[in-house]
Amino acid sequence: MTKKIFFTILIIVLLAVNIAFSFFSLRLDLSKGRVYSLSTSSKKILKSLDKKLTINFYASSTLPTRLLPLKRDVNDFLKEYQRNGQGKVEIKIFDPEKEEKAKENVQKEGLPQLQFSQLEKDKYAITNAYFGIVLNYQDKKEMIPQLSDLAGLEYNLSAKIYKLTKKELPKVLIFGKNYDFNPQIDDLYTFKKIIGEQVNFELKEDLTEIKLKDYSMVILFDNNQKEYTAEEKDKLFDYLKNGGKILAFVDGVWVNESLFTEEAKHNLFDFLKKTGITLNRDLILSTNAELVNFGNQSVQFIAPYPFWLKTNVFNQKSFYFNNVETMTFPWVSSLSLKTEKDWQTNPLVWSTTRSWEERLATESGGIVLNPQLISQPDPKKLKSFVLVAEAKNKNKGEIVLIPSTRFIQERYLSNRNNNLDL
C-alpha cells in the first residue's frame, strides 16, 4: 500500500487529514491558527476532484444574533475551497426561511432543522433554523448537520470530500484494545469515530488467522493483557518488511488503575528493537507538566503532575506537526534510536530539556507516582528525551511508536492539547 495512505491515517490520529495551515493568500491571514487558510492536504484533496463538487450552505435568517459572525466566517472560508477547486467546486448559499426552493431542497437532502435558544428582551426565546452544509459529488452525498465553530470546519469538510472522492476507502486493522463502540465505556470512542470518516476499520483480538497484507495499516494498542507470541511478532515484522504500516501505542512501563507501576506484558521490546527503536523501561517526568485535579469529593487541589508531561518540541521536517501547538503524554516512556540493517529511524517528538527519567526497578517497589512523594530531580540530570519515533525500510514499510497507551484515550483528551490533531 502507498505511503500516501499511511500518512492519511496517521494524521487522523494520532487524524486522517493533517490540517496544516500553510496556505498563501492574496489577503493576509492574521487569525490565530490561520483558520482562514486552506492546508496543503486540503488542496491536494481538491486537486483530486474528477467531477464537480457542490457545497450547499444552508443558513436561515432566523439564526440567533450570536451566530451571525460565524455565518460570515463560514461563507468566507467556503470561498477558499471554491478558489482552490480549479473550477470544480461550486458554492451555493441558501436561506430556507426566505426561499421556497431552498426549503424544498433542504428537506429533500435531509438536513435537520435545529432549535436555538437566545435571550431577547430579558426573555428566553426558542427559534428553529437551518445551519449546516450538504456536499454533493456525482451520486454521493455527505452532510455537516450543524456548524458550531470555524476551527474544525476545514477538517470536517476535507474529510468528507476525501470520503466522497474515494471509490474504495483504505482498510485498517485496530488490534488489542477495548472494542465497545459506546461513548460511555469505550475509551477510544472519539478516535474511532474520527477515523471511521476516512477508512473502513476492523477490530480484532487475535492475529492468528488474519492476513495482514489485506490491510493498508495496523493500529496496535497495548492493553497489558496480551503477550505476543514469537509467531505473531514474526508476522508483524514480515508485514513491515513488505511495505506495511504500523502505528503502535505501547508502554515501556505499565501504570495500572490503582496507580502502581509494573512490568509491561506485551513482550514487543525485541520486535521493536529489530527496527532500530528501543522502548525503554522507564517513565519520563518534566517540569512542563499538565495540571491535574488530585482531590476528592471533600477536598480538591490542582497542581502540575510531572508524569503527565507537555511538550511542543517536534521534528520540524515532518509535516505531521504543522497544526500542532502542544501535546500531553500521560505516563510516557522514552525511546532510544539506532540504525539497523535496512532500517532508518527518525525522532519525531522530544520532551523539553527540563525533563528527567525514573527507571523501573520492581525489586524496590516500582516507580513512585504519588505527586506529594516525587523527589526533586538532580539539575545535572535534566535533559530532553525522545518520546515518539518512526522507523522506515527500503520497501516503504514504516512503524511509528508512541510509548503512551493513554495518549488518545477519552479521559486524557482535553482542549489544552492537540493529541488527536497529530
Side-chain angles (χ1 to χ4, degrees), residues 22-37:
S22 57
F23 173 79
F24 175 79
S25 176
L26 292 177
R27 61 181 173 82
L28 184 61
D29 187 351
L30 298 176
S31 60
K32 184 179 180 181
R34 301 185 67 200
V35 294
Y36 293 102
S37 303

Side-chain angles (χ1 to χ4, degrees), residues 336-367:
S336 300
L337 307 182
K338 181 182 177 182
T339 301
E340 292 290 338
K341 182 181 179 181
D342 299 327
W343 289 92
Q344 176 187 351
T345 57
N346 295 302
L348 296 177
V349 181
W350 294 264
S351 68
T352 66
T353 55
R354 300 287 298 174
S355 305
W356 69 102
E357 166 189 50
E358 290 287 349
R359 289 246 167 202
L360 181 65
T362 53
E363 64 275 5
S364 60
I367 299 173

Side-chain angles (χ1 to χ4, degrees), residues 184-198:
Q184 303 300 320
I185 57 178
D186 187 356
D187 56 14
L188 294 176
Y189 177 81
T190 300
F191 170 66
K192 293 174 184 175
K193 183 179 179 181
I194 290 172
I195 70 166
E197 292 285 332
Q198 298 296 306

Side-chain angles (χ1 to χ4, degrees), residues 323-341:
N323 193 44
V324 177
E325 294 182 0
T326 185
M327 290 187 290
T328 299
F329 290 82
W331 297 299
V332 63
S333 299
S334 68
L335 304 175
S336 300
L337 307 182
K338 181 182 177 182
T339 301
E340 292 290 338
K341 182 181 179 181

Side-chain angles (χ1 to χ4, degrees), residues 153-330:
L153 181 58
E154 183 180 2
Y155 169 74
N156 288 327
L157 273 174
S158 295
K160 292 185 181 299
I161 296 171
Y162 174 84
K163 189 175 182 180
L164 284 170
T165 57
K166 288 296 177 184
K167 295 180 180 179
E168 184 177 355
L169 294 177
K171 189 177 176 182
V172 173
L173 172 66
I174 299 179
F175 184 80
K177 199 60 181 173
N178 181 354
Y179 301 132
D180 295 311
F181 195 71
N182 183 314
Q184 303 300 320
I185 57 178
D186 187 356
D187 56 14
L188 294 176
Y189 177 81
T190 300
F191 170 66
K192 293 174 184 175
K193 183 179 179 181
I194 290 172
I195 70 166
E197 292 285 332
Q198 298 296 306
V199 304
N200 292 321
F201 67 85
E202 295 182 7
L203 308 165
K204 300 291 184 181
E205 295 179 311
D206 187 1
L207 285 176
T208 307
E209 302 298 327
I210 296 176
K211 294 181 179 179
L212 293 181
K213 66 180 181 178
D214 294 338
Y215 297 93
S216 303
M217 184 177 179
V218 174
I219 303 176
L220 189 153
F221 289 96
D222 174 29
N223 58 14
N224 209 46
Q225 297 175 14
K226 178 177 177 56
E227 183 175 342
Y228 289 78
T229 65
E231 179 184 356
E232 289 176 316
K233 288 185 286 186
D234 287 344
K235 193 169 187 176
L236 288 169
F237 194 70
D238 287 341
Y239 172 71
L240 285 174
K241 285 198 304 182
N242 291 305
K245 318 294 181 184
I246 295 178
L247 174 61
F249 297 86
V250 179
D251 288 309
V253 173
W254 184 258
V255 178
N256 61 34
E257 292 299 319
S258 300
L259 298 186
F260 289 102
T261 57
E262 57 185 83
E263 291 274 2
K265 297 178 182 177
H266 53 73
N267 198 29
L268 291 173
F269 294 96
D270 56 342
F271 159 74
L272 295 168
K273 204 166 186 177
K274 288 166 67 177
T275 70
I277 301 176
T278 296
L279 174 58
N280 296 314
R281 291 173 170 85
D282 63 7
L283 291 178
I284 304 304
L285 302 85
S286 177
T287 58
N288 189 28
E290 185 70 71
L291 293 174
V292 178
N293 187 345
F294 293 103
N296 51 40
Q297 292 182 346
S298 303
V299 180
Q300 294 192 6
F301 67 96
I302 298 175
Y305 185 44
F307 283 105
W308 287 18
L309 63 86
K310 296 192 297 183
T311 185
N312 58 0
V313 187
F314 312 129
N315 187 332
Q316 298 302 318
K317 294 181 181 180
S318 174
F319 67 85
Y320 298 151
F321 308 101
N322 286 349
N323 193 44
V324 177
E325 294 182 0
T326 185
M327 290 187 290
T328 299
F329 290 82

